[in-house]
Amino acid sequence: MCDIAGHGEDTRFVFIGDYVDRGPDSRRVVEFLIRRQSEQGRRCICLRGNHEEMLIHAAGRHRSDRDLMNWWGNGGERTLESYGVDDPGDLPAEHLAWVQKLPLTHKDQHRLFVHAGVRPGVPLSLQSQEDLLWIREPFLSSPDDHGLFVVHGHTPITSGRPDLRANRLNLDTGACFGGPLTAAAFSSGRRAPLMFATSMGDIVRL
């Protein structure tokens, strides 16, 4: 649907994290994204989510029992099942290397794309990795202009519809809980999105 909405123009895809742990086939998701990046290069940008961060720690050589159990208890078991292995360190080396290299943010002229959000009052260049991957409050309730329009996920929206505010857009419409997967389309000429498209086949023009 996103390809169709692009009308053949030079489009860029930005994915905002949580490719593992949140569905029945994490391996297939990662393989799709790796293949997409290989085919499209800089037109396909994949950001790190907190679940990728947990996987990095769980699969690390110096992991603690807490690292392993934290990931396992937050969906890691489903990821292991999709790969057919018992230990995150046994995931394909190519996949682990890809996860470890995922950037935290992507910027364009009007927007900052990030998994969780930013800490209000802190310059974007000084944001901590912890906040970029994990923050909820005080970000979600802040009316502050962060300098760029923030496009994020991380906090599922119970209504199943994107949460569009003057300063940010939350695209996590609860796909991991049975809601739709939602994408937003932007243009270089305006800050706010042009439209939403969902995995249910809906297109909402704004």
Side-chain angles (χ1 to χ4, degrees), residues 1-11 13 43 185 194-195 203 205:
M1 288 183 66
C2 293
D3 284 330
I4 292 171
H7 300 295
E9 296 183 10
D10 184 18
T11 53
F13 289 82
R43 290 182 56 219
L194 299 171
M195 58 172 281
I203 293 181
R205 300 187 184 277

Short mmCIF file of all heavy atoms in Angstrom, two decimals, residues 1-11 13 43 185 194-195 203 205:
data_model
loop_
_atom_site.label_atom_id
_atom_site.label_comp_id
_atom_site.label_asym_id
_atom_site.label_seq_id
_atom_site.Cartn_x
_atom_site.Cartn_y
_atom_site.Cartn_z
N MET A 1 0.83 -1.21 0.00
CA MET A 1 0.00 0.00 0.00
C MET A 1 0.86 1.26 0.00
O MET A 1 0.54 2.25 -0.64
CB MET A 1 -0.93 0.01 1.22
CG MET A 1 -2.08 -1.00 1.15
SD MET A 1 -3.17 -0.87 2.57
CE MET A 1 -3.86 0.76 2.27
N CYS A 2 1.98 1.19 0.75
CA CYS A 2 2.87 2.36 0.78
C CYS A 2 3.51 2.59 -0.58
O CYS A 2 3.67 3.74 -1.03
CB CYS A 2 3.94 2.17 1.84
SG CYS A 2 3.31 2.16 3.53
N ASP A 3 3.87 1.51 -1.26
CA ASP A 3 4.44 1.64 -2.60
C ASP A 3 3.42 2.28 -3.56
O ASP A 3 3.76 3.15 -4.36
CB ASP A 3 4.86 0.27 -3.14
CG ASP A 3 6.16 -0.23 -2.51
OD1 ASP A 3 7.00 0.61 -2.14
OD2 ASP A 3 6.31 -1.45 -2.38
N ILE A 4 2.18 1.84 -3.45
CA ILE A 4 1.13 2.39 -4.32
C ILE A 4 0.91 3.88 -4.00
O ILE A 4 0.77 4.71 -4.90
CB ILE A 4 -0.18 1.60 -4.13
CG1 ILE A 4 0.00 0.17 -4.68
CG2 ILE A 4 -1.34 2.30 -4.83
CD1 ILE A 4 -1.16 -0.74 -4.35
N ALA A 5 0.89 4.21 -2.71
CA ALA A 5 0.65 5.60 -2.30
C ALA A 5 1.76 6.52 -2.79
O ALA A 5 1.54 7.72 -2.98
CB ALA A 5 0.52 5.68 -0.78
N GLY A 6 2.96 5.98 -3.00
CA GLY A 6 4.07 6.79 -3.46
C GLY A 6 3.98 7.20 -4.91
O GLY A 6 4.73 8.07 -5.36
N HIS A 7 3.07 6.57 -5.67
CA HIS A 7 2.84 6.91 -7.07
C HIS A 7 4.14 6.90 -7.89
O HIS A 7 4.33 7.72 -8.78
CB HIS A 7 2.19 8.30 -7.21
CG HIS A 7 0.86 8.40 -6.54
ND1 HIS A 7 -0.25 7.68 -6.94
CD2 HIS A 7 0.46 9.14 -5.47
CE1 HIS A 7 -1.28 7.97 -6.16
NE2 HIS A 7 -0.87 8.85 -5.26
N GLY A 8 5.04 5.98 -7.54
CA GLY A 8 6.27 5.85 -8.31
C GLY A 8 7.30 6.91 -8.02
O GLY A 8 8.35 6.95 -8.67
N GLU A 9 7.05 7.80 -7.06
CA GLU A 9 8.01 8.85 -6.74
C GLU A 9 9.18 8.27 -5.94
O GLU A 9 9.15 7.12 -5.50
CB GLU A 9 7.33 9.97 -5.95
CG GLU A 9 6.24 10.70 -6.74
CD GLU A 9 5.64 11.83 -5.96
OE1 GLU A 9 6.20 12.17 -4.89
OE2 GLU A 9 4.61 12.37 -6.40
N ASP A 10 10.20 9.06 -5.75
CA ASP A 10 11.39 8.64 -5.02
C ASP A 10 11.08 8.67 -3.52
O ASP A 10 11.35 9.64 -2.83
CB ASP A 10 12.56 9.56 -5.35
CG ASP A 10 13.85 9.10 -4.69
OD1 ASP A 10 13.91 7.92 -4.28
OD2 ASP A 10 14.79 9.91 -4.58
N THR A 11 10.49 7.60 -3.03
CA THR A 11 10.05 7.54 -1.64
C THR A 11 11.14 6.94 -0.74
O THR A 11 12.01 6.21 -1.19
CB THR A 11 8.78 6.69 -1.51
OG1 THR A 11 9.00 5.42 -2.12
CG2 THR A 11 7.61 7.38 -2.19
N PHE A 13 11.50 4.91 3.08
CA PHE A 13 10.79 4.19 4.13
C PHE A 13 11.60 4.26 5.42
O PHE A 13 12.79 3.95 5.43
CB PHE A 13 10.58 2.73 3.74
CG PHE A 13 9.58 2.54 2.63
CD1 PHE A 13 9.95 2.69 1.31
CD2 PHE A 13 8.27 2.22 2.93
CE1 PHE A 13 9.03 2.53 0.29
CE2 PHE A 13 7.34 2.05 1.91
CZ PHE A 13 7.72 2.21 0.59
N ARG A 43 17.21 4.27 0.81
CA ARG A 43 15.77 4.51 0.77
C ARG A 43 15.03 3.72 1.85
O ARG A 43 13.84 3.94 2.08
CB ARG A 43 15.21 4.15 -0.60
CG ARG A 43 15.64 5.10 -1.72
CD ARG A 43 14.99 4.69 -3.03
NE ARG A 43 13.54 4.65 -2.91
CZ ARG A 43 12.77 3.72 -3.47
NH1 ARG A 43 13.31 2.74 -4.19
NH2 ARG A 43 11.47 3.76 -3.33
N ALA A 185 2.39 8.75 5.72
CA ALA A 185 3.08 9.29 4.54
C ALA A 185 3.32 10.77 4.74
O ALA A 185 2.42 11.51 5.17
CB ALA A 185 2.26 9.06 3.28
N LEU A 194 0.57 13.43 5.45
CA LEU A 194 -0.41 13.59 4.39
C LEU A 194 -1.54 12.57 4.52
O LEU A 194 -2.69 12.84 4.18
CB LEU A 194 0.24 13.40 3.02
CG LEU A 194 1.36 14.37 2.64
CD1 LEU A 194 2.02 13.89 1.35
CD2 LEU A 194 0.78 15.76 2.46
N MET A 195 -1.19 11.37 5.01
CA MET A 195 -2.17 10.29 5.07
C MET A 195 -1.65 9.18 5.96
O MET A 195 -0.47 9.12 6.31
CB MET A 195 -2.43 9.72 3.66
CG MET A 195 -1.18 9.19 2.97
SD MET A 195 -1.52 8.32 1.43
CE MET A 195 -2.06 6.75 2.06
N ILE A 203 -7.08 3.61 4.16
CA ILE A 203 -6.29 4.78 3.83
C ILE A 203 -7.04 6.01 4.32
O ILE A 203 -8.22 6.19 3.98
CB ILE A 203 -6.00 4.90 2.32
CG1 ILE A 203 -5.07 3.76 1.87
CG2 ILE A 203 -5.38 6.26 1.99
CD1 ILE A 203 -4.72 3.83 0.41
N ARG A 205 -6.79 10.06 4.39
CA ARG A 205 -6.11 11.25 3.89
C ARG A 205 -6.39 12.42 4.83
O ARG A 205 -7.52 12.59 5.31
CB ARG A 205 -6.56 11.57 2.47
CG ARG A 205 -6.26 10.43 1.50
CD ARG A 205 -6.56 10.81 0.07
NE ARG A 205 -6.36 9.66 -0.81
CZ ARG A 205 -5.19 9.29 -1.29
NH1 ARG A 205 -4.10 9.98 -0.98
NH2 ARG A 205 -5.07 8.22 -2.09
#
